[in-house]
Amino acid sequence: MSPVRALRDFYEDPAVPVASGAGRSRRQARLLAHALGPVRAGAPGATVLDIGCGDGTAAATAAEVLAGHRLIGVDWSQDALRRAQARIPYVVRGELSDGGLPFATGCADAVLFSEVVEHLVDPDAALDELHRVLRPGGHLMLSTPNLAAWYNRGLLLAGVQPVFSEVSMRRIHGRPGTEVVGHLRLYTARALRGFLAASGFEVVRIAGAPYHDVPRPLRPLDRAACHLPSLASILLAHARRRRE
């Protein structure tokens, strides 16, 4: 079986998590709402694509903050889209490979790309496709786990596999946690900034967000780490497509 087919089968499994934490989804949406500004009376709102929307939980959370804008959920998993239809009004099946997304060049004012890039075989091609569908100056809001999160630094010093990293698609080996979620790529804040810049984006800001599965006694420390994004659990990047 090809790696791409294996990934398709993996993500079509209803047992595989397809939603992220509501808190960081709301934070990401607020960053985008601030970037887009208020919807003017009588004017159409922005077109926002949530690429890799999963079950629509994050998009539904974002819709509360992005009132007046048109939010479209996009995913390759039919099972995820069936669940997303109950939460958001517009869903489209689309892929970042095999011909690209079913949208015209420059059609989108903004793209939400929430915890998708770490699952991709070819993130370079994916960023090229996001760059294509965004209008010049359009916003990309990308979130991804931080390889250099504060606890991962300690785990590596102790010789333990970092949280978020996976060596197998079948089971967890050598790291905390019990769920296999299919992470193939991991980024530090520095690596993410360089990757976005090399893909034709101007990085506006990289912020930090907490991780919902941090043990309760450690959550205050996890929230505090967000003030220094290079140590945060989750990286939230706001970038803009460069104007040619």
Side-chain angles (χ1 to χ4, degrees):
M1 182 183 295
S2 72
V4 172
R5 177 61 185 273
L7 282 173
R8 288 176 189 271
D9 291 347
F10 179 80
Y11 291 116
E12 288 289 2
D13 183 350
V16 174
V18 291
S20 56
R24 62 182 177 271
S25 297
R26 191 172 292 109
R27 184 170 185 176
Q28 186 180 47
R30 285 173 179 158
L31 290 172
L32 179 55
H34 177 75
L36 292 172
V39 179
R40 297 176 183 175
T47 296
V48 180
L49 306 180
D50 183 1
I51 307 296
C53 68
D55 66 2
T57 300
T61 300
E64 299 169 5
V65 181
L66 297 169
H69 300 296
R70 185 183 184 212
L71 185 61
I72 302 171
V74 185
D75 207 285
W76 77 353
S77 168
Q78 295 283 18
D79 179 73
L81 287 175
R82 280 192 291 270
R83 287 181 274 171
Q85 284 179 318
R87 295 185 171 98
I88 52 179
Y90 306 107
V91 297
V92 175
R93 190 174 189 277
E95 303 183 21
L96 289 162
S97 59
D98 295 336
L101 296 167
F103 299 104
T105 297
C107 72
D109 299 290
V111 165
L112 291 170
F113 203 49
S114 303
E115 279 138 86
V116 177
V117 70
E118 65 272 14
H119 298 270
L120 300 178
V121 173
D122 190 350
D124 301 281
L127 266 288
D128 288 346
E129 184 64 0
L130 300 186
H131 187 276
R132 182 188 69 80
V133 299
L134 277 170
R135 63 169 173 80
H139 303 275
L140 171 63
M141 310 300 296
L142 182 154
S143 65
T144 192
N146 182 10
L147 175 61
W150 60 275
Y151 40 81
N152 279 346
R153 299 182 186 218
L155 289 173
L156 277 170
L157 285 174
V160 177
Q161 188 80 12
V163 174
F164 308 126
S165 65
E166 294 178 335
V167 300
S168 170
M169 298 286 281
R170 296 176 180 174
R171 58 185 64 88
I172 296 299
H173 298 285
R175 72 155 172 84
T178 58
E179 285 187 326
V180 176
V181 294
H183 289 175
L184 305 179
R185 312 277 180 175
L186 288 176
Y187 301 80
T188 64
R190 179 181 295 183
L192 182 60
R193 183 181 293 275
F195 177 49
L196 290 169
S199 301
F201 292 92
E202 175 189 356
V203 178
V204 177
R205 179 188 179 191
I206 292 184
Y211 178 46
H212 62 279
D213 268 353
V214 167
R216 188 174 296 276
L218 297 178
R219 289 179 186 176
L221 184 56
D222 194 42
R223 288 192 294 269
C226 294
H227 295 290
L228 189 60
S230 63
L231 293 176
S233 286
I234 306 295
L235 300 171
L236 301 180
H238 172 202
R240 301 189 72 173
R241 177 182 164 176
R242 292 198 193 105
R243 300 179 187 272
E244 276 74 21

